[in-house]
């Protein structure tokens, strides 16, 4: 089995920064694409940023220029550096990874970490 565990969420004032981390563990053979999603109350889950196995990145228009996704393959970890945070960035943030385990190929989700941006 594979587990994803996020950390780094919290409360921050507008204009502030946070760095989210998501570490994968378990019977991992290879991790392909990894991504960050968010879901605000009453809204659908949306993809925020995505990074492929060869480090190609993609961002939602709403976060371009403010958020940066990166990964450390040696640590099976993906990061999301969030700068110039706005109140509309408030949401639960989830990481996602496409993982080849010893059993199968599947997409996995973390449990989520809350980010609140408010003055």
């Amino acid at each position: 089995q594979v587990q994803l565990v996020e950390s780094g969420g919290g409360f921050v004032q507008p204009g502030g920064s946070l760095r989210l981390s998501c570490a994968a563990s378990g019977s991992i053979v290879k991790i392909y694409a990894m991504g960050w999603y968010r879901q605000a109350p009453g809204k659908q889950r949306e993809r925020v940023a995505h990074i492929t196995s060869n480090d190609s990145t993609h961002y939602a228009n709403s976060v371009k220029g403010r958020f940066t996704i990166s990964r450390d393959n040696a640590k099976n970890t993906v990061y999301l550096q969030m700068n110039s945070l706005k109140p509309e960035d408030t949401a639960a943030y989830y990481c996602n990874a496409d993982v080849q385990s010893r059993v199968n190929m599947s997409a996995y989700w973390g449990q989520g970490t809350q980010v609140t941006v408010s003055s």
Side-chain angles (χ1 to χ4, degrees):
Q1 192 55 276
V2 175
Q3 300 82 36
L4 301 182
V5 178
E6 300 107 332
S7 61
F11 183 95
V12 65
Q13 291 187 337
S17 298
L18 284 173
R19 188 191 193 208
L20 305 183
S21 300
C22 173
S25 63
S27 55
I28 298 168
V29 174
K30 183 178 174 63
I31 301 177
Y32 292 92
M34 305 183 83
W36 286 96
Y37 291 70
R38 67 186 180 188
Q39 187 167 19
K43 294 188 177 182
Q44 288 189 329
R45 187 174 296 190
E46 63 171 346
R47 192 171 77 176
V48 173
H50 176 83
I51 184 167
T52 67
S53 56
N54 60 359
D55 291 338
S56 176
T57 59
H58 306 270
Y59 297 93
N61 288 334
S62 58
V63 306
K64 278 182 182 177
R66 300 187 299 122
F67 290 12
T68 302
I69 189 170
S70 61
R71 61 192 289 171
D72 184 334
N73 292 327
K75 296 181 179 180
N76 289 333
T77 299
V78 63
Y79 304 97
L80 186 67
Q81 177 66 44
M82 305 186 294
N83 298 328
S84 303
L85 282 160
K86 304 175 181 180
E88 50 264 44
D89 294 318
T90 295
Y93 283 71
Y94 301 88
C95 71
N96 169 271
D98 295 328
V99 181
Q100 176 67 57
S101 72
R102 296 193 184 99
V103 177
N104 61 7
M105 174 78 180
S106 186
Y108 293 88
W109 290 90
Q111 82 288 352
T113 185
Q114 180 67 34
V115 171
T116 302
V117 185
S118 176
S119 55

